Amino acid sequence: MAAEVLTREDSGVAVTVYERMPSAGRKFLMAGRGGLNLTHSEPMQVFMQRYGPGQTALAPIIASMPPDAVRAWCEGLGQETFIGTSGRVFPRAMKASPLLRAWLRRLDAQGVEIKVRHCWQGWDDEGCLKFSTPEGDRTAAADATIVALGGGSWSRLGSDGAFVEILRKAGVEVTPLRAANCGVLVDWSEHFKERFQGQPLKRIGLRLGEMRVFGEALVTKGGLEGGAVYALSAAVREALDSVGQARLLIDLRPDLEEEALGRQLGQPRDKKSFSTFLRKVARLSPAAIGLLNEAALSLPHRLGDLSAEQLTCLVKAVPVSVYATAPIERAISTAGGIVLDELGPDLMIRRLPGVFAAGEMLDWEAPTGGYLLQACFASGAVAARGALDWLKKNKQD
Ligand SMILES: Cc1cc2nc3c(=O)[nH]c(=O)nc-3n(C[C@H](O)[C@H](O)[C@H](O)COP(=O)(O)OP(=O)(O)OC[C@H]3O[C@@H](n4cnc5c(N)ncnc54)[C@H](O)[C@@H]3O)c2cc1C
């Protein structure tokens, strides 16, 4: 996005993008596997709250390229967009490849040169950019530089967080990268993980303290993944940091009030096995029943010996002890990065005149829902406008 804005309307600026991978936009393509949620259609005030503590710094950035502008940009590249039932915005094609192809064609037409297999290593003593390439080390002089090196998850797609050390050495404050929008780790019993890994828990409620979300989770060998879990993962991380533990409460029937569920569970079981009773009467899936049994392991009674009242309480709030968030490698995004106070409103790194930064490598985080790409696009555009102004000013000086 920065390269596009820099070369719009014959700006006269020559732009080279250096990419360490053999091709550009690999994480963008990966994001397309889930439909490429570009942004969200909710009211701006609600939208901005998704960025939590980062919202003040991000407000003017996103205001300069708001969700409607992202949609218009996507449509300008020939990819019609639509708003899903959840309010999320996607390209009609529900994938990234046609959009990326059109975007790269546009960049090419605007004269942007993309040099792949160039891994940025910092600056040399003369202030030139240093790269390692398969043909050996290279340097390049630049009048202005924009770094947009991503976060630290899915490193095989390119963004490996190596910038953290490079920028720290240059005196820039960078918060450690940590998994965001990630799964959680739970010490399941052998039986539970063997029997239920890979199975979904659909239409559940998840609670952590005051936070409550609804959606879906997937049981994995080591814990839980999925949209509802990702939405709580920042709060889980905070709880683990501050009190050393995080106890999730899973509501297996969020659609039913306790009273109504209690009436169902108070019905006679007749000759049905207990699992069949739970499946038929309370409409619980095998994985949900497995989760109840798992929770009952730490109770003094077997599940089948609980009263209807006790069972109702358990179905509405199955406790799950989380001992860690899933590793950064498989996270959707990362928290941490360049501390926002290190940047001017034009996204220039104050300590490094002429160097601007954008995207996930800045220290903000947001849940899934299109907020990640939205902030990346908008910050790329702001950094580019900042660099153009800076170049103009320095030419005059
Ligand atoms: C599975 C998955 C699904 C996702 N789905 C969505 C979604 O639907 N909606 C959404 O909003 N977000 C989604 N995201 C997140 C989103 O893709 C990222 O937040 C976004 O791509 C970050 O953009 P960026 O330009 O900051 O970094 P990146 O897209 O990571 O790009 C940074 C580029 O810099 C290159 N690079 C890194 N270091 C160097 C170096 N030293 N030298 C040269 N090049 C370097 C990398 O190779 C990479 O190509 C998803 C992420 C994942 C992993």
Side-chain angles (χ1 to χ4, degrees), residues 124-197:
D124 68 10
D125 294 342
E126 274 77 53
C128 291
L129 300 161
K130 284 194 298 182
F131 299 94
S132 63
T133 80
E135 285 79 41
D137 293 346
R138 296 280 184 274
T139 57
D143 294 326
T145 302
I146 296 174
V147 283
L149 304 163
S153 70
W154 288 80
S155 56
R156 71 181 169 83
L157 301 177
S159 312
D160 61 358
F163 75 85
V164 173
E165 281 317 308
I166 301 176
L167 290 182
R168 278 190 187 150
K169 266 194 207 140
V172 181
E173 197 186 339
V174 186
T175 318
L177 299 183
R178 306 195 53 192
N181 294 304
C182 58
V184 296
L185 301 186
V186 181
D187 197 7
W188 300 128
S189 68
E190 283 304 318
H191 169 75
F192 184 75
K193 68 178 144 195
E194 272 191 14
R195 172 82 179 72
F196 296 109
Q197 61 170 299

Side-chain angles (χ1 to χ4, degrees), residues 13-84:
V13 173
V15 175
T16 309
V17 176
Y18 295 95
E19 164 61 57
R20 68 183 280 257
M21 300 303 283
S23 60
R26 292 190 174 203
K27 189 172 275 180
F28 189 67
L29 287 173
M30 174 59 89
R33 284 228 203 143
L36 196 69
N37 183 190
L38 288 168
T39 184
H40 203 289
S41 62
E42 66 199 359
M44 212 46 202
Q45 202 197 347
V46 186
F47 186 99
M48 285 314 300
Q49 282 167 11
R50 312 291 181 193
Y51 296 98
Q55 65 179 297
T56 314
L58 286 174
I61 293 171
I62 290 181
S64 76
M65 187 177 182
D68 281 350
V70 168
R71 289 189 72 180
W73 165 81
C74 181
E75 303 206 345
L77 283 167
Q79 295 299 309
E80 201 191 326
T81 62
F82 75 99
I83 302 176

Side-chain angles (χ1 to χ4, degrees), residues 359-392:
E360 200 182 314
M361 72 186 295
L362 308 186
D363 188 7
W364 53 269
E365 67 174 308
T368 58
Y371 311 102
L372 301 166
L373 284 173
Q374 167 70 60
C376 291
F377 292 141
S379 60
V382 166
R385 282 192 285 272
L388 285 172
D389 286 348
W390 195 82
L391 288 169
K392 226 183 275 166

Side-chain angles (χ1 to χ4, degrees), residues 278-346:
L278 288 175
R279 194 162 46 81
K280 295 217 159 137
V281 175
R283 296 213 309 276
L284 295 179
S285 68
I289 298 168
L291 190 68
L292 287 173
N293 277 308
E294 183 76 357
L297 292 178
S298 49
L299 297 177
H301 305 290
R302 284 176 345 131
L303 199 58
D305 296 335
L306 297 181
S307 67
E309 210 176 8
Q310 288 170 321
L311 192 57
T312 303
C313 291
L314 190 63
V315 172
K316 292 296 286 176
V318 191
V320 173
S321 257
V322 172
Y323 69 86
T325 49
I328 200 165
E329 185 54 31
R330 301 288 291 182
I332 300 280
S333 60
T334 45
I338 303 175
V339 169
L340 296 174
D341 281 350
E342 292 277 340
L343 303 158
D346 54 358

Side-chain angles (χ1 to χ4, degrees), residues 252-297:
L252 295 171
R253 287 298 308 269
D255 54 325
L256 271 191
E257 294 295 332
E258 272 191 29
E259 214 184 315
L261 181 65
R263 271 198 304 277
Q264 288 185 353
L265 292 172
Q267 288 176 31
R269 287 178 205 165
D270 301 326
K271 287 193 180 132
K272 292 184 201 82
S273 73
F274 191 51
S275 302
T276 309
F277 172 76
L278 288 175
R279 194 162 46 81
K280 295 217 159 137
V281 175
R283 296 213 309 276
L284 295 179
S285 68
I289 298 168
L291 190 68
L292 287 173
N293 277 308
E294 183 76 357
L297 292 178

